[in-house]
């Protein structure tokens, strides 16, 4: 009895401290980028809850010759748009991509305790998040657009929706846009619809289904993400897009401001890498592969320097 | 009274309070080597408390207790030294009404527990000693039996062996037969008689009056936390000088016989 | 001898044969009873299954993909075993503290139990996973480099620590009750033999208390297997995490969650069975 307890205690102590000590050996790096290059791995957070950006791969074998730590996952165990972008960034840096999968709120909240280096998680740049996180050049966008019934002939442009019943998810950016309160860092918002009648829904899908019941029956239009609306049309719902994208939400790589050592050179380097990936058409190709749409060109044109992030 | 210089136990002006209750009211007495002293009295008279104060199972409120050269004097608010208490405890063996054998140890395990843990004896030495005392109480063949398989009388004899094995200078018995079925009392009393015959110094709290009459060198009658009367059995049982003793003995012996 | 002659002479062996017949009858009754209970269980499982199929539950999907979720069983079990082991040590220390006469030990143990029992496990997980490293960073800036790194536990280590601390607090009360249930006479017998308080606890009280406590540890272990699902928030790929994230892939949440529920259920059935056997063995200990 006594012995068992003693042995258990020792085992537990060893397991608790072994990893901690193993991490403590390398010589101190001047900044985060240097640390990553010296380590040879880029630790990327992703929450595989959102296909097609990120999802788990069944029957995946962990790469055998990996430098990823035992509690990190190798690229083969995950798949999706975000995952491929993460791998492309790591390749450009000349290091191996490793993934960790904490909950989304742990990622957006900042203070990562140096557990992972970057988030490639389709994170929208918002003023609130900018307080805790640095953002790189966005790698793609979520365009917002209006959708109306396929039968409708009276609406020819978004401006025609003035005073009409427009459905959208409550509390999301479309809600804010229709209320005239939306602001997106680095983006100029133009109000194209006067006095819309906002109809709140729990999710975009509910609004789309109500619109699909018939033109003007419950809704005249829906405001949602372009890929979401396009997906509904692809699924056979009688809808059509009205005009061009109204505005873009920019989705970028995020890096914890509290990183030690200094994360700023890493932010700048990843921005540089993403600009290259835009220029080489790699990101556009991935966007076509996963969404069948060009969601990246606008992201490439975004002026990240306008955010004025660094102290 | 019977104070003498070669007393093995000397108690002076012992007081015990349980909250507001004054249970021992300045008791003093001595016990000589090889003396068998029996304490009698009504339940609640304080005789068990007196015994339990001697080895500090109950901490006395005030007074002096000396046992074979070790002495502790206490008063309200005094913090006692655990080492001194331990020294006194080791000079006394205690046998309880409820036996209090350790149920997770065999008979032998019970007997050698103190030898191994307290006296730091080697396992072999302790076992030899344990076997000797198991034989002494006539239960060598129960050596490897757990208490649950023993009768009450056997349990109490093992408990006696457990205390004896520590080779104390005095044995204290707190109503050792009160929890036993009548047919099992005899075997325990026989062991105690044997000890008395061998010259073991003993203090016994009991209601077994004829046993007391047989083995006691001296009887002490305790009432309301005070020693009312003491003397040889013949004197106490046949010619008690105090009315309270007389009333106690009359009612007690009467109810005893009517059982 | 004289008793036997009182029986009619043509039935000399009435006693043994009747004993066997009685025993056989008793066994038969017991078997029928067990069979009845089993059929109730089977009926309930069937009703449940039919109900699930009404929910547009797709058993074929589970059949194809159960392996992925099953891989989490080892993680769940490992987490629970490690945590219950540490929790047991913490609970023992906690109980000794609470029963101690030392005011500092009593204060420490009381504070630990009150704080941990008074806060949700999920929040404890967040604090250990995300809060401790921040303390570590502060220490590091003060020059305690090694200490700072040590406070940054991996997700699994954080999970084990949180579960251990949490269950240790609840089990402290179980241990305390177990220790207090040992009769006062045991302590008196031990100290009058000259054992110190600590020796009395270690040699006499604890070995007896453990027998009383073990069934409760078993129950806590069963509860812990289910509570370990909370560590999925740190991205540990145990049963719940795998079921949840995989279910999103093809919008087969119900299938994956029911699979996860079934796995937990099986784990607890096996644990209860082991615990019951252990309990029985303990009940018959010391009966030579």
């Amino acid at each position: 009895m006594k012995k068992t307890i003693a042995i258990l205690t020792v085992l537990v102590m060893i397991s608790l401290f072994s990893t901690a000590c193993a991490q403590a050996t390398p010589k101190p790096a001047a900044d985060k980028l240097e640390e990553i290059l010296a380590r040879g791995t880029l630790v990327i957070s992703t929450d595989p809850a959102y296909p097609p950006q990120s999802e788990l791969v069944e029957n995946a074998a962990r790469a055998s010759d990996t430098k990823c730590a035992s509690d990190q996952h190798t690229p083969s165990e995950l798949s999706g748009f975000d995952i491929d972008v993460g791998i492309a960034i790591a390749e450009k840096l000349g290091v191996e991509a490793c993934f960790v999968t904490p909950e989304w709120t742990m990622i957006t909240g900042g203070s990562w305790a140096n557990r992972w280096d970057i988030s490639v998680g389709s994170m929208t740049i918002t003023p609130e998040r900018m307080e805790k996180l640095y953002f790189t050049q966005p790698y793609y966008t979520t365009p917002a657009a209006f959708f109306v019934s396929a039968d409708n002939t009276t609406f020819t442009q978004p401006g025609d929706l003035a005073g009409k019943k427009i459905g959208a998810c409550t509390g999301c950016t479309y809600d804010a846009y229709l209320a005239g309160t939306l602001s997106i860092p680095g983006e100029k918002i133009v109000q194209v619809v006067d006095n819309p009648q906002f109809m709140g829904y729990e999710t975009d899908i509910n609004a789309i289904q109500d619109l699909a019941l018939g033109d003007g029956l419950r809704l005249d239009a829906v405001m949602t993400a372009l890929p979401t609306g396009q997906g509904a049309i692809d699924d056979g719902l009688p809808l059509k897009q009205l005009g061009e994208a109204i505005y873009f939400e920019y989705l970028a790589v995020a890096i914890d401001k509290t990183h030690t050592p200094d994360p700023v050179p890493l932010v700048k380097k990843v921005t540089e890498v993403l600009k290259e990936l835009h220029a080489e058409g790699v990101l556009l190709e991935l966007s076509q592969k996963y969404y069948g749409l060009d969601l990246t060109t606008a992201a490439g044109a975004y002026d990240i320097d306008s955010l004025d992030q660094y102290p | 009274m019977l104070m003498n210089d070669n007393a093995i136990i000397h108690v002076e002006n012992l007081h015990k309070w349980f909250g507001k209750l004054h249970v021992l009211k300045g008791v003093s007495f001595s016990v000589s080597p090889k003396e068998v002293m029996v304490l009698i009295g009504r339940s609640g008279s304080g005789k068990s408390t007196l015994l339990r104060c001697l080895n500090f199972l109950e901490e006395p409120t005030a007074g002096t207790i000396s046992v074979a050269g070790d002495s502790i004097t206490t008063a309200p608010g005094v913090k006692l030294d655990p080492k001194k208490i331990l020294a006194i405890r080791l000079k006394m063996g205690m046998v309880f009404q409820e036996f209090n054998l350790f149920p997770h140890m065999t008979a032998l395990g019970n007997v050698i527990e103190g030898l191994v843990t307290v006296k730091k004896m080697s396992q072999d030495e302790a076992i030899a000693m344990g076997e000797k005392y198991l034989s002494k109480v006539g239960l060598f063949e129960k050596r490897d039996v757990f208490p649950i398989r023993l009768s009450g009388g056997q349990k109490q004899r093992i408990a006696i062996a457990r205390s004896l094995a520590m080779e104390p200078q005095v044995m204290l018995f707190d109503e050792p037969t009160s929890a036993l079925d009548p047919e099992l009392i005899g075997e325990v009393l026989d062991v105690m008689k044997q000890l008395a015959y061998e010259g073991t110094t003993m203090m016994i709290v009991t209601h077994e009056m004829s046993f007391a009459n047989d083995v006691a060198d001296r009887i002490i009658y305790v009432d309301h936390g005070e020693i009312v009367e003491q003397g040889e059995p013949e004197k106490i049982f046949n010619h008690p000088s105090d009315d309270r003793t007389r009333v106690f003995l009359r009612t007690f012996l009467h109810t005893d016989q009517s059982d | 001898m004289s008793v036997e002659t009182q029986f009619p002479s043509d039935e000399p062996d009435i006693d043994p044969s009747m004993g066997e017949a009685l025993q056989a009858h008793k066994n038969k009754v017991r078997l029928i009873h067990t069979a009845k209970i089993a059929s109730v269980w089977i009926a309930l499982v069937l009703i449940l299954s039919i109900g699930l199929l009404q929910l547009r539950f797709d058993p074929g999907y589970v059949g194809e993909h159960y392996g992925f979720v099953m891989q989490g069983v080892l993680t769940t079990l490992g987490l629970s075993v490690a945590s219950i082991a540490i929790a047991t040590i913490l609970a023992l220390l906690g109980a000794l503290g609470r029963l101690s006469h030392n005011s500092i030990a009593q204060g420490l143990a009381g504070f630990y139990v009150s704080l941990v029992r008074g806060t949700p496990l999920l929040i404890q997980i967040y604090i250990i996973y995300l809060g401790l490293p921040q303390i570590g960073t502060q220490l590091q800036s003060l020059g305690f480099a090694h200490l700072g790194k040590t406070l940054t536990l991996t997700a699994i280590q954080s999970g084990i620590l949180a579960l251990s601390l949490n269950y240790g607090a609840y089990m402290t009360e179980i241990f305390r009750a177990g220790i207090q249930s040992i009769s006062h006479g045991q302590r008196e017998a031990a100290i009058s033999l000259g054992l110190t308080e600590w020796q009395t606890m270690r040699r006499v009280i604890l070995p007896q208390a453990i027998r009383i406590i073990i069934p409760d540890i078993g129950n806590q272990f069963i509860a812990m297997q289910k509570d370990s699902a909370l560590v999925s928030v740190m991205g540990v790929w145990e049963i719940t995490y795998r079921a949840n994230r995989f279910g999103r892939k093809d919008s087969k949440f119900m299938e994956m969650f029911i699979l996860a529920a079934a796995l937990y259920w099986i784990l607890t059935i096996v644990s209860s069975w082991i615990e019951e056997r252990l309990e029985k063995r303990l009940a018959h200990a010391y009966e030579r």
Side-chain angles (χ1 to χ4, degrees), chain B residues 190-249:
Chain B
D190 286 347
V191 168
M192 292 169 68
K193 277 180 192 163
Q194 179 65 28
L195 292 176
Y197 175 76
E198 289 168 6
T200 311
T201 312
M202 303 201 272
M203 282 184 71
I204 305 166
V205 171
T206 187
H207 295 297
E208 297 291 330
M209 293 304 169
S210 67
F211 166 74
N213 195 25
D214 288 352
V215 301
D217 296 314
R218 183 161 40 126
I219 306 269
I220 288 185
Y221 174 65
V222 181
D223 192 33
H224 288 98
E226 288 169 316
I227 294 178
V228 173
E229 188 170 359
Q230 55 181 309
E232 289 177 7
E234 202 272 335
K235 180 196 163 237
I236 298 291
F237 286 125
N238 298 333
H239 315 287
S241 55
D242 196 290
D243 277 350
R244 285 173 290 176
T245 318
R246 207 170 296 135
V247 170
F248 166 74
L249 286 172

Side-chain angles (χ1 to χ4, degrees), chain A residues 116-138:
Chain A
W116 55 87
D117 302 318
I118 66 173
S119 152
V120 186
S122 300
M123 195 187 292
T124 307
I125 302 173
T126 66
E128 300 77 41
R129 289 174 183 159
M130 283 176 62
E131 286 173 19
K132 308 238 172 198
L133 304 170
Y134 289 125
F135 285 97
T136 65
Q137 183 71 29

Side-chain angles (χ1 to χ4, degrees), chain C residues 26-96:
Chain C
K26 212 173 143 192
N27 287 346
K28 199 176 138 193
V29 169
R30 197 183 298 155
L31 194 69
I32 291 171
H33 185 65
T34 312
K36 278 182 184 168
I37 292 176
S39 42
V40 171
W41 275 61
I42 292 167
L44 287 175
V45 168
L46 277 176
I47 291 170
L48 261 179
S49 313
I50 292 167
L52 288 180
L53 291 173
Q54 300 310 305
L55 290 171
R56 284 179 297 160
F57 178 76
D58 178 0
Y61 188 83
V62 175
E64 281 167 44
H65 301 287
Y66 70 92
F68 187 78
V69 179
M70 288 267 284
Q71 286 168 33
V73 170
L74 266 187
T75 311
T76 293
L77 260 183
L79 268 173
S80 308
V81 170
S83 303
I84 201 81
I86 306 174
T88 303
I89 296 166
L90 286 174
L92 180 58
L93 293 176
L96 292 178

Side-chain angles (χ1 to χ4, degrees), chain B residues 103-158:
Chain B
H104 57 299
M105 298 178 189
T106 60
L108 182 67
N110 268 275
V111 177
I112 66 172
E113 178 57 31
L115 301 177
V116 173
T117 307
V118 180
K119 293 202 164 171
K120 309 289 176 203
M121 259 184 208
S122 74
Q123 198 74 14
D124 291 345
E125 259 182 297
I127 287 174
M129 189 102 157
E131 286 174 343
K132 177 179 140 197
Y133 282 99
L134 279 176
S135 306
K136 190 173 181 66
V137 297
L139 289 172
F140 180 81
E141 78 279 6
K142 300 289 183 191
R143 180 183 189 278
D144 298 320
V145 173
F146 283 96
I148 199 164
R149 292 265 180 260
L150 295 169
S151 74
Q154 290 168 334
K155 282 184 198 167
Q156 193 60 296
R157 284 151 71 194
I158 304 280

Side-chain angles (χ1 to χ4, degrees), chain A residues 39-305:
Chain A
R39 195 199 305 142
T41 60
L42 178 67
V43 184
I44 303 165
S45 69
T46 179
D47 188 355
Y50 306 100
Q53 286 98 300
S54 175
E55 58 185 284
L56 300 174
V57 173
E58 205 179 359
N59 304 324
R62 183 186 168 83
S64 52
D65 57 342
T66 180
K67 276 188 259 176
C68 300
S70 63
D71 59 335
Q72 297 164 359
H73 301 278
T74 58
S76 62
E77 297 171 76
L78 295 141
S79 74
F81 179 66
D82 286 346
I83 304 299
D84 283 353
V85 171
I87 294 168
I89 293 169
E91 267 171 19
K92 282 270 180 197
L93 293 176
V95 296
E96 187 182 352
C98 302
F99 292 91
V100 292
T101 58
E103 284 232 317
W104 178 241
T105 48
M106 289 200 177
I107 302 171
T108 55
S111 296
W112 300 343
N114 297 304
R115 290 181 183 282
W116 55 87
D117 302 318
I118 66 173
S119 152
V120 186
S122 300
M123 195 187 292
T124 307
I125 302 173
T126 66
E128 300 77 41
R129 289 174 183 159
M130 283 176 62
E131 286 173 19
K132 308 238 172 198
L133 304 170
Y134 289 125
F135 285 97
T136 65
Q137 183 71 29
Y139 57 94
Y140 75 125
T141 60
T142 306
F146 288 104
F147 289 83
V148 295
S149 172
D151 306 332
N152 182 281
T153 50
T154 52
F155 305 134
T156 55
Q157 53 171 349
D160 299 340
L161 293 170
K164 297 292 179 189
K165 284 183 287 187
I166 301 175
C169 42
T170 308
C172 58
T173 52
Y174 315 117
D175 182 351
Y177 176 82
L178 293 171
T181 57
L182 180 66
S183 92
I184 292 177
E187 175 80 340
K188 197 167 175 292
I189 307 288
V190 183
Q191 295 295 332
V192 291
V193 181
D194 297 328
N195 303 316
Q197 232 183 303
F198 170 68
M199 310 292 283
Y201 287 83
E202 196 168 334
T203 71
D204 304 42
I205 305 297
N206 303 129
I208 288 170
Q209 279 165 346
D210 263 8
L211 178 62
L213 292 176
D215 185 23
L217 208 57
R218 285 194 183 159
L219 290 175
D220 295 306
V222 162
M223 188 176 209
T224 184
L226 200 150
T228 309
Q230 191 57 49
I233 293 168
D234 293 345
D235 286 345
L237 291 182
L239 307 176
K240 65 182 179 188
Q241 187 182 335
L242 184 66
E244 292 296 302
I246 306 300
Y247 62 86
F248 293 96
E249 288 179 67
Y250 294 94
L251 310 171
V253 171
I255 295 170
D256 185 8
K257 282 189 173 179
T258 68
H259 261 336
T260 51
D262 183 19
V264 173
L266 174 64
V267 183
K268 290 178 174 163
K269 179 68 185 174
V270 174
T271 289
E272 197 180 296
V273 162
L274 284 168
K275 281 179 175 167
E276 282 173 36
L277 290 171
H278 275 299
E280 291 163 9
V282 175
L283 293 172
L284 177 59
E285 202 178 299
L286 287 173
S287 167
Q288 292 289 0
K289 175 181 167 194
Y290 284 99
Y291 300 96
L293 294 167
D294 170 14
L295 299 176
T296 56
T297 303
Y302 184 83
D303 180 15
I304 187 72
D305 295 330

